[in-house]
Amino acid sequence: MAKSKVITMWVIWLVAFPSLVTYAYMEFKPDFSEQWLDLLAFAIVICAVAVFPIKVGNITVFFSNGVSLAAFLYFGLFVELILIQLSLVVLFVKINLKKDEAHRIPTNSTMFLLTSVISAWVYYALGGTHGILTFDTVEQVIPLVGYIVAIILVNQIFLSVFQWYMHGENLLAYPKSLLIDSGATLLAFPLGLVLYLMYVQIEAIAVFFVGVPFILLSIVFSYYHNTQLINKYLHTTSEIGHELSKSLNVKSVLDTFLDEIKYLIPASNIYVFDVSNESRMMDLIRFMDQEGNQLKKDLKLFRGEGFAGSVYEREKSIMMMRKKDIDQLNPEELPDETKSVMGVPIQRSGKIVGVLTVSSNELNAYEKYHLMLLEILANFLSVAIENARHYESAKTKSQRDQLTNLYNYRYFIEHIDEYAKDLEAKGIKENLSVIILDIDSFKAINDEHGHESGNEVLIELANRLERLFGHYGIIARYGGEEFTVLIKGMPHNDVIQIAEDIRYSIASEPFILYKTIDGNVEVQEINVTASIGVSTYPDQCETPQELIRNADRSMYVGAKRNGKNKVASIV
C-alpha cells in the first residue's frame, strides 16, 4: 500500500478525531455525575462484544452498533462516540493488528466517527431527543428509523470509499463483506432497542441482562464464521493435495507445494528439510522467502539443532508465538526478525523423513487451525514425494540400462520417433545424426577374461562416452556390446569427426580389469577397439526412422569388413 495514502489517513484522523469529539462534548454538554456506574456497564458490554469479531475480506464485523444505539438514545452523541472508539481499541488488540495493517486504526476510527456524527445530525434533523423515550408516537419513531437507516447507508458509503482509496477496489461494487456488515447492523439494532427500553426501566442491571445475549450472539456468529473459514481452508488444503498428486517428480512436487502453501498460511519464510535417519542430519532442500522466491540455501542441521532440529528431536509439531521462546532454541536457520514460527514433522511409515517449517515476522501470526492445516499439508507432501519417487524409479527402470545406467534401446527409438514427429509438426528442418558403435571382438574378451570382466569393459566404456561426449547428445546402450549416440542440428562432416574422436578415445587408452584370485586383487590392462557407423538425416536417409538402420549398415559394411577400429558412413 502506498505510504502517501497511509499518511493521508493519519492526517485526516488527527484532524477529525479531536475536532468531532470536542464538538460533541461542547454542543451537548453531557452530565454524568450520577451515572458513572451505568456508563461503566455499557463500556464493559461493548468491549466484550468487540472481543468476538468476524473477519470478512478486508472488513471486520462486530455487533457493537446495538449497544451504541442504546447509549446514544439515552446519553447522546458524545457517549456513543467514546464507547465506539473504546470498542475499536479492544477490537484491534483482539485481532492482533499487524504492523502493515496499522493504517486500519485511523481508517476505522475516522469512519466510525463520521458515521456517528452524520447519523446523529439526521436524528436531530428529524426531531430526535435523548433521555427517556417511549417510541409510542410517530414523532419519536421517525427520528429512530432515520438514525438507523443513516447509520447503515453512511457506514456502507464510507466502507466503499475507504476500500476504493486504500485497496483500489471497485467503488460501485457491493461485495459480500458489505452485505454481511449490513446484516449484522440490522440484527444488532433490535437488541439495542430492547437494551435501551430495559435500561430506562431498571437502569444499569439491564445492561448486563441484555448485554449477555449480545455477547452470546457475537460468540455464536464468530465461531460459526471461524468454522466456515476453517472448512474453506480444509477444502483448499484438499485441492492442494490433489494438485500435488498430479506431479510426477520430486522437484515438481516441491515447487507446487511451496507455490500453493503461501496462499493458505501467512509466512515470511518457508523451509522444507530432508532427514537422513542414518546420520541424524537434516538438509534444507527447499526455501522460500517472503517475496515468494524459491532460493537455493545450503544448510544442514543435526537432530535437536535449531528450531527444525527441535521438531525432529521431539517428533511432534511445535508452534511458538513469542520471540523469547524462539530464541531459546538458538534457531540459526530463522532470520532475527522472526516472531512467530510453526514446524511439523513429515512422516512416512512411522519414521520422520523431513521437517516443514513456516515462520512470520509478525507477532501471534498463527492460530491452532494453522498448525492443523500445516500438519495435513505435511502428510500430503509426504505421500506426494513418495509417489513421485516411485514413479521416477519406475520410469528410470523402463528407460535405463541396468548395467551401464545409459538410456536403453526402447527409450532411444521412442525419443527419435517423438522428436522427428515434433519437427514435422512444427515444419522445422533439422539435421539428426546417429552414431552406432560395436566393440570389436567382444566375444574374445568374454572368453579370455570372463563375463564379469566383459561387463567391466561395458561399464567403463559407458562412463567414457558420458564423460567425454555426453554433452553432444543422447547416449544409449543399443544392446549387447553396441552403443548409440543421437546428435541434433549438426552437419554430417562434424558428426563424422565426433565419431573419430569416440573411436580414438576407446582405442588410445587401455581398459583396466580387476580380478580377485584367492583373496588377491589382480589388475590387468586390455586394449579395446570399436567399429563405428554414422548416418545423418536428411543427407543419407529420407526419414529419421531410417537413421539406425543406415548407421548399423555403415558400421558392418564400411568398418567391420574393412579391418575394424574404423568409422564409416554411407555416402
Side-chain angles (χ1 to χ4, degrees):
M1 183 177 300
K3 188 176 180 180
S4 59
K5 292 184 178 180
V6 176
I7 294 174
T8 300
M9 288 311 307
W10 278 106
V11 171
I12 292 173
W13 180 79
L14 289 172
V15 173
F17 184 83
S19 302
L20 293 176
V21 172
T22 303
Y23 160 77
Y25 184 82
M26 298 301 295
E27 179 71 20
F28 301 101
K29 296 182 173 58
D31 181 12
F32 313 126
S33 57
E34 296 180 0
Q35 295 172 310
W36 287 110
L37 290 178
D38 296 1
L39 293 173
L40 179 61
F42 274 100
I44 291 172
V45 171
I46 202 169
C47 289
V49 170
V51 171
F52 301 98
I54 300 173
K55 182 100 170 18
V56 185
N58 293 320
I59 296 175
T60 302
V61 178
F62 60 117
F63 296 93
S64 62
N65 282 328
V67 182
S68 65
L69 170 66
F72 172 78
L73 291 174
Y74 193 88
F75 297 102
L77 177 61
F78 178 76
V79 170
E80 191 226 8
L81 289 180
I82 298 302
L83 288 177
I84 285 291
Q85 298 301 310
L86 182 61
S87 68
L88 279 176
V89 173
V90 174
L91 173 68
F92 291 143
V93 173
K94 165 62 180 178
I95 65 176
N96 185 33
L97 200 65
K98 307 295 189 297
K99 185 177 180 181
D100 60 352
E101 295 180 315
H103 65 275
R104 292 180 61 183
I105 296 174
T107 301
N108 285 270
S109 179
T110 303
M111 184 182 68
F112 278 106
L113 278 169
L114 294 174
T115 300
S116 296
V117 171
I118 294 173
S119 301
W121 285 344
V122 172
Y123 180 77
Y124 298 137
L126 295 173
T129 59
H130 300 293
I132 299 176
L133 304 171
T134 58
F135 300 109
D136 55 358
T137 65
V138 175
E139 288 77 10
Q140 290 185 354
V141 172
I142 289 178
L144 175 62
V145 173
Y147 175 78
I148 294 174
V149 172
I151 279 187
I152 294 174
L153 292 179
V154 173
N155 187 54
Q156 299 310 304
I157 291 171
F158 277 123
L159 274 174
S160 297
V161 170
F162 282 125
Q163 292 290 84
W164 163 75
Y165 180 71
M166 301 301 288
H167 302 288
E169 296 185 5
N170 188 345
L171 185 61
L172 300 178
Y174 195 80
K176 178 183 176 182
S177 55
L178 293 183
L179 184 63
I180 292 176
D181 182 67
S182 300
T185 302
L186 285 172
L187 188 63
F189 277 144
L191 279 175
L193 188 57
V194 172
L195 173 59
Y196 167 77
L197 293 174
M198 287 192 67
Y199 174 73
V200 169
Q201 296 297 320
I202 58 177
E203 299 183 338
I205 192 68
V207 179
F208 294 104
F209 274 137
V210 183
V212 170
F214 261 111
I215 297 170
L216 291 177
L217 183 67
S218 299
I219 292 172
V220 169
F221 272 86
S222 178
Y223 276 95
Y224 173 77
H225 177 71
N226 287 340
T227 301
Q228 293 296 103
L229 192 64
I230 291 173
N231 287 338
K232 178 183 176 182
Y233 284 150
L234 288 174
H235 179 71
T236 303
T237 302
S238 176
E239 290 179 343
I240 292 175
H242 183 66
E243 286 299 316
L244 291 176
S245 66
K246 296 179 181 178
S247 302
L248 298 179
N249 63 72
V250 175
K251 180 182 181 302
S252 178
V253 167
L254 290 169
D255 290 344
T256 301
F257 181 79
L258 290 185
D259 286 339
E260 296 292 340
I261 192 177
K262 64 184 179 183
Y263 297 112
L264 187 63
I265 296 177
S268 300
N269 297 287
I270 304 173
Y271 307 80
V272 181
F273 289 91
D274 185 62
V275 167
S276 172
N277 287 302
E278 291 76 16
S279 63
R280 298 164 68 86
M281 176 80 77
M282 300 192 307
D283 289 294
L284 181 64
I285 58 174
R286 275 295 188 279
F287 169 69
M288 178 179 282
D289 64 12
Q290 57 188 341
E291 279 77 37
N293 300 315
Q294 295 193 37
L295 307 174
K296 182 171 179 58
K297 187 175 181 181
D298 294 326
L299 178 63
K300 294 181 182 292
L301 295 175
F302 286 103
R303 181 184 173 98
E305 183 182 9
F307 179 80
S310 298
V311 174
Y312 179 22
E313 183 178 45
R314 300 179 192 182
E315 299 185 357
K316 64 178 183 180
S317 302
I318 300 175
M319 181 169 68
M320 291 184 172
M321 310 290 268
R322 297 190 303 177
K323 184 166 177 56
K324 68 176 184 178
D325 294 336
I326 298 171
D327 290 342
Q328 286 179 354
L329 297 177
N330 296 316
E332 61 180 78
E333 76 270 29
L334 302 178
D336 292 337
E337 57 269 23
T338 300
K339 297 183 178 67
S340 303
V341 63
M342 295 189 298
V344 299
I346 302 172
Q347 299 188 31
R348 188 181 306 125
S349 302
K351 291 184 178 180
I352 295 180
V353 296
V355 172
L356 172 61
T357 302
V358 296
S359 68
S360 174
N361 298 339
E362 301 291 341
L363 284 170
N364 301 314
Y366 304 117
E367 297 184 31
K368 288 184 179 179
Y369 74 84
H370 284 126
L371 187 62
M372 176 191 70
L373 294 175
L374 198 64
E375 289 173 339
I376 295 172
L377 288 169
N379 290 331
F380 282 145
L381 180 62
S382 174
V383 172
I385 288 177
E386 183 71 4
N387 290 341
R389 282 176 173 163
H390 280 311
Y391 175 82
E392 287 178 339
S393 176
K395 184 178 179 181
T396 297
K397 288 179 181 178
S398 69
Q399 294 181 344
R400 295 282 180 173
D401 173 61
Q402 260 188 321
L403 178 66
T404 64
N405 201 39
L406 294 176
Y407 285 111
N408 57 26
Y409 165 81
R410 176 183 173 183
Y411 174 82
F412 193 80
I413 295 294
E414 289 178 351
H415 182 79
I416 291 177
D417 190 51
E418 290 175 3
Y419 191 77
K421 288 179 180 177
D422 186 58
L423 291 178
E424 183 179 359
K426 295 176 180 177
I428 298 175
K429 297 294 184 181
E430 180 180 86
N431 280 4
L432 285 180
S433 301
V434 166
I435 299 172
I436 188 166
L437 65 92
D438 181 87
I439 298 176
D440 295 327
S441 306
F442 185 71
K443 184 177 182 302
I445 295 175
N446 280 331
D447 292 342
E448 183 177 348
H449 302 282
H451 288 282
E452 285 298 319
S453 294
N455 286 342
E456 288 183 35
V457 171
L458 294 175
I459 293 170
E460 172 58 23
L461 176 55
N463 291 337
R464 285 192 195 182
L465 293 174
E466 277 285 324
R467 185 175 65 253
L468 300 174
F469 306 99
H471 59 283
Y472 284 113
I474 294 175
I475 301 175
R477 184 184 178 192
Y478 191 66
E481 64 271 22
E482 290 186 332
F483 295 81
T484 55
V485 183
L486 175 66
I487 297 177
K488 304 171 183 177
M490 190 174 289
H492 181 68
N493 289 337
D494 292 347
V495 178
I496 290 290
Q497 183 57 53
I498 292 173
E500 278 290 348
D501 294 340
I502 291 174
R503 184 200 64 76
Y504 178 78
S505 71
I506 297 172
S508 62
E509 183 179 349
F511 284 65
I512 300 175
L513 304 178
Y514 298 90
K515 292 183 179 180
T516 303
I517 303 175
D518 297 329
N520 296 318
V521 178
E522 179 182 320
V523 180
Q524 185 176 3
E525 293 184 353
I526 64 170
N527 293 314
V528 176
T529 61
S531 297
I532 300 176
V534 180
S535 178
T536 299
Y537 166 81
D539 296 359
Q540 279 83 40
C541 52
E542 295 182 359
T543 66
Q545 287 78 7
E546 298 176 32
L547 281 169
I548 291 178
R549 185 180 62 199
N550 284 0
D552 193 55
R553 186 188 308 155
S554 297
M555 177 187 68
Y556 278 103
V557 175
K560 288 284 187 186
R561 294 180 182 177
N562 288 322
K564 303 178 181 179
N565 192 23
K566 297 181 183 301
V567 173
S569 172
I570 295 177
V571 179

